[in-house]
Structure formats: C-alpha cells, structure tokens
Amino acid sequence: MPAYVINDMEVLDPALLDEYKKLSPPTVAQYGGRFLARGGRTEVLEGSWTPRRLVILEFPSIEQARAWAESPEYAPAKALRQRAARSNIVVVEGAAPG
C-alpha cells in the first residue's frame, strides 16, 4: 500500500536548502519514491494550519519510506536539510484502492 511522507518545513537558510534540493531527488528515486508536491502554493481550506513549505513524497510502502529516511544514501542530504530548515515530518499509509 502506498505511503506518503509529508514535510512541513520552516526554511532558515535558503542557500543551504538549494544544496539539499540537488542531493535529495536521486535518493528518493532510489527507494522507489517520487515527489508529489515540492514547496508549491498552499491555501488553507479549513482550520488554522498554515504550512510554510510543504513537501509530499509517495513511496510504495511505509517500510520503503522509512528505509529511505534512514538510509546511508540520504544521510548527507538529511544533514543539510536539518541545518537549513526546521521540519515536522510524518508518514501516512495510503487508502486501499476502491
């Protein structure tokens, strides 16, 4: 079942985040993931949540998403992101088809 990694980040260092954005896509693809949203415009439809920079990734499963997040391939990019931004990240299992 697909899983979605959702990252709401507050960018602290845009130049450093640009470096992260170069390093992370190959690692996402290596673990079977793909970007669904990457910092595009957001609109609040209900409630008070106002994401700053929202990124959504899709992986084949929660296990695959976790493998990517904890992988040695992603580690250098992750370290850059952690210096460049404050993140709130969750993974959610997708709904069954039908």
Side-chain angles (χ1 to χ4, degrees), residues 13-25 77 80-81:
D13 186 332
L16 200 54
L17 188 67
D18 284 343
E19 290 303 311
Y20 168 78
K21 290 190 292 187
K22 294 174 190 171
L23 294 178
S24 65
L80 278 177
R81 179 185 47 77

Side-chain angles (χ1 to χ4, degrees), residues 5-74:
V5 173
I6 302 166
N7 181 354
D8 178 11
M9 67 172 67
E10 176 187 1
V11 177
L12 305 173
D13 186 332
L16 200 54
L17 188 67
D18 284 343
E19 290 303 311
Y20 168 78
K21 290 190 292 187
K22 294 174 190 171
L23 294 178
S24 65
T27 68
V28 170
Q30 182 177 353
Y31 282 81
R34 67 185 182 117
F35 286 88
L36 298 180
R38 196 171 186 193
R41 185 180 78 157
T42 61
E43 291 184 27
V44 176
L45 298 178
E46 189 172 324
S48 60
W49 180 34
T50 308
R52 296 177 188 249
R53 175 180 166 77
L54 196 59
V55 177
I56 303 173
L57 306 172
E58 180 183 53
F59 286 91
S61 66
I62 285 182
E63 293 75 21
Q64 200 67 12
R66 187 179 302 111
W68 163 75
E70 298 170 356
S71 72
E73 295 86 1
Y74 179 56

